[in-house]
Amino acid sequence: SEGRNHETIDAIASAIRRPGVHLLDVQSDVDHNRSVFTVVGASELLVDAVFDGVATAVTHIDLRTHQGAHPRMGAADVVPFVPLLDTKIEVALEAAATLGERVATELGVPVYFYEMSARQADRRNLEKIRGKGFEELRTAIARDESQAPDLGPRRVHETAGAIAVGARRPL
């Protein structure tokens, strides 16, 4: 959830870069105030790189002051793992589960699993999880049982919100 501050975008990109992981592209949108980082690599290396990118977003982005044209629920809003070539979906499912566990445990950010990683049938669709975004989730997460995260605290991270992590096929 950052498409304007180039220092933050560069910091996230730097956190992701490492041997064996390739940052293929960064697409930033000023109006939506979001960036998409496209990263490939072996799953173990990829999970560590993505975790470091998420951790950097958590420390650099404050959703309480964030504005953009797109609903967002987290500083690191959505992380899909997409198997490519002959990689099996199970590899992406395991990567999503591992990342989710680390984000919840090490960063204290609530995690919602979506798409093929969904632990509840009604969470396959990302829009069902995201709803109207951070502001709505901030109050609903503690009050509404249907908004409880799959992992992590039953409250949004004060500045970084929550994250949706999943495995899915290519779009």
Side-chain angles (χ1 to χ4, degrees):
S1 292
E2 180 57 68
R4 300 174 185 159
N5 183 322
H6 295 288
E7 288 178 13
T8 297
I9 296 164
D10 291 344
I12 295 167
S14 292
I16 292 169
R17 285 188 183 100
R18 66 199 57 219
V21 173
H22 304 282
L23 178 59
L24 298 179
D25 191 36
V26 178
Q27 291 279 323
S28 297
D29 182 310
V30 178
D31 294 330
H32 290 94
N33 201 8
R34 299 171 63 86
S35 293
V36 175
F37 298 81
T38 303
V39 186
V40 296
S43 65
E44 321 76 52
L45 299 173
L46 192 59
V47 169
D48 288 341
V50 172
F51 176 82
D52 289 347
V54 169
T56 302
V58 166
T59 61
H60 284 73
I61 299 169
D62 187 341
L63 289 184
R64 297 171 300 180
T65 59
H66 181 276
Q67 294 182 343
H70 194 283
R72 78 284 180 266
M73 61 186 232
D77 199 45
V78 180
V79 177
F81 285 92
V82 180
L84 301 175
L85 303 172
D86 61 347
T87 303
K88 303 227 179 296
I89 191 66
E90 290 78 13
V91 174
L93 289 164
E94 185 175 325
T98 301
L99 179 70
E101 184 65 41
R102 286 191 66 192
V103 168
T105 304
E106 296 176 40
L107 302 177
V109 174
V111 176
Y112 294 86
F113 290 107
Y114 80 106
E115 282 279 345
M116 297 175 88
S117 297
R119 296 183 178 181
Q120 299 175 39
D122 64 339
R123 292 196 175 161
R124 288 185 69 87
N125 183 325
L126 178 60
E127 298 315 310
K128 295 278 187 180
I129 298 169
R130 184 184 285 142
K132 294 180 181 159
F134 175 70
E135 290 76 17
E136 178 182 68
L137 186 60
R138 192 168 37 192
T139 57
I141 192 171
R143 295 182 190 162
D144 183 350
E145 188 61 37
S146 71
Q147 296 296 314
D150 294 307
L151 295 175
R154 184 80 189 262
R155 57 173 167 55
V156 296
H157 184 282
E158 183 178 344
T159 58
I163 187 173
V165 179
R168 64 168 173 76
R169 300 278 181 208
L171 296 175

